[in-house]
Each structure stands twice: as structure tokens, then as C-alpha cells.
Amino acid sequence: MDYSKPPASYTPKHLVDQILTSRSALEGERKLVTVLFADVANYTSLSEKLDPEEVHQILDGCFQILMAEIHRYEGTINQFTGDGVMALFGAPLSHEDHAQRACHAALSIQKALADYQERLNRQYGIDFQLRIGLNSGPVVVGKIGDDLRMDYTAIGDTTNLASRMQSLVSPGIILVQSSSPDWTSGIPLYASVVKIGSWRSALNPSILDLWCFESST
């Protein structure tokens, strides 16, 4: 699959139809969303160890898992970042429980990766891991094209903090920033959730809690 193509080419048709039907009501609106960043841990060393064709095949299999689980919870992939993805929950498909959906998607990604990780370890002798970071905050939704390309403006550090969470997290762990613990209300019982500290960014004077969670099964 060519991941440089517009989002409509890799988004399930029923989600495409929902977005195009509701886009006129969304354009120009301020929305609360949850941003999910995921990337392959130790991607440089993996690329040095394997042939480019093998790396491409491994990433393709990983992207298929990411797309399936993100779309399962009606998130949309805004862009592929070379060795990962950026996804939005809460826009362009509106969901009040966007944070819980993003958390469920992150956990589902980790669970779905288990068999894939074992297969890659047997075949290539590599320890394949993802890093996932989440952050919730406001964005202003811009124009949504027929191909689902969406312009949006992040308010404050909504997107930057999600990217920062992903860069800080250890492989196999999901790191979440939140000023309120309400997002934990939707986390499945099989997940282990631990508050690990606090964070104050340059763009946000509030003290924000940092949580990590992972499947406990």
C-alpha cells in the first residue's frame, strides 16, 4: 500500500461516508480531541540490520495493525510519519469519549502486536516494539477535502505534547498526559494504569499528570 496517498485511500468506506456527511458542520469548529502518536522503537538499528525490502515488509505489517485498531475505535490517521503514525480521535468524527477511544485503540494495538512480534523475532531475530503517546486538547478544524485531507490548527501544545509523550515513553508502554484522571474511567480491567509524575510545558502553565498504562494480560 502507498501510505503517501490521501487518507480516503486507506480509511474504511463507512468512516469516509460518516466524515463527508458531517464535514460541513465541523469545518471552523473548535473541538476537543485526543492525539495518538505511535512509532517503531529503535528503528535506526533495525534498518541497519535488515535489507530495505525486509524493513518495508515489516513496517507494512505494522501499519496494517495500526490502521485496523485505530479505525476500530473510529479514529482517523492524519499522517504516516515514516516509521509511525499520527491519529486523531474526536475529529473529524465527533466523539465525546475520544480519550477513552484513543486509550482502547492503544491497548488494542499492543495486544494485536503480540503475535506479530513473536513472528518477527523467529524470522529475523529482532525485538519489535512500538512507542505510543497520547494527549488530549483543543484544535480548530479547517477544511475537510473529498480525499479526507483535513486542515486543522492545534491550540496550545495539543499536538506537540502527544509527540513528546511518544518520544519519552519506553518501548511497549503507553504514555498519557492529562490534567484530569477522568480518561481512566473507560480503561478495561485488564489494563494496568499508574501515575508516574507531573509535567509542565513551556506553552501550558498548568501542571499536567503523566500516566503510563499497558495490558496486564
Side-chain angles (χ1 to χ4, degrees):
M1 179 180 289
D2 183 356
Y3 298 104
S4 64
K5 289 185 176 180
S9 67
Y10 50 75
T11 302
K13 186 179 184 304
H14 72 281
L15 295 184
V16 173
D17 292 341
Q18 287 183 53
I19 293 168
L20 294 181
T21 299
S22 61
R23 65 177 168 177
S24 61
L26 280 172
E27 293 175 344
E29 288 292 308
R30 177 186 173 118
K31 301 288 293 181
L32 281 175
V33 302
T34 297
V35 184
L36 180 153
F37 274 94
D39 79 344
V40 177
N42 303 315
Y43 176 72
T44 301
S45 61
L46 184 148
S47 299
E48 292 172 348
K49 182 178 180 180
L50 302 174
D51 292 335
E53 184 176 340
E54 292 173 328
V55 174
H56 176 78
Q57 291 174 347
I58 290 170
L59 284 180
D60 187 64
C62 175
F63 288 163
Q64 293 297 322
I65 292 172
L66 286 166
M67 287 191 296
E69 301 308 322
I70 289 168
H71 291 148
R72 184 190 307 276
Y73 292 97
E74 298 195 346
T76 55
I77 295 176
N78 186 258
Q79 63 177 315
F80 288 89
T81 60
D83 63 335
V85 300
M86 172 190 170
L88 294 177
F89 293 80
L93 288 172
S94 296
H95 290 294
E96 291 186 4
D97 60 343
H98 53 86
Q100 287 86 355
R101 286 173 177 267
C103 290
H104 276 278
L107 283 167
S108 295
I109 289 167
Q110 296 288 31
K111 292 189 73 175
L113 272 176
D115 289 341
Y116 190 58
Q117 290 166 326
E118 289 183 12
R119 179 155 61 87
L120 294 180
N121 184 265
R122 290 194 304 268
Q123 187 171 354
Y124 300 108
I126 61 173
D127 181 21
F128 187 82
Q129 298 277 357
L130 284 183
R131 302 179 302 175
I132 300 177
L134 306 174
N135 179 50
S136 297
V139 300
V140 174
V141 178
K143 182 176 176 56
I144 303 171
D146 290 341
D147 60 3
L148 297 197
R149 291 192 191 278
M150 183 180 75
D151 296 327
Y152 71 93
T153 302
I155 299 173
D157 50 9
T158 300
T159 303
N160 291 339
L161 265 180
S163 178
R164 183 63 172 156
M165 294 303 98
Q166 173 255 303
S167 67
L168 288 172
V169 72
S170 300
I173 306 296
I174 301 158
L175 188 60
V176 181
Q177 176 284 120
S178 177
S179 57
S180 168
D182 291 347
W183 65 270
T184 60
S185 62
I187 298 302
L189 294 177
Y190 62 76
S192 170
V193 182
V194 180
K195 180 180 175 181
I196 60 171
S198 300
W199 173 280
R200 176 180 281 161
S201 75
L203 296 178
N204 192 331
S206 302
I207 295 177
L208 307 170
D209 292 334
L210 295 181
W211 305 76
C212 74
F213 67 100
E214 60 184 322
S215 175
S216 56
T217 58

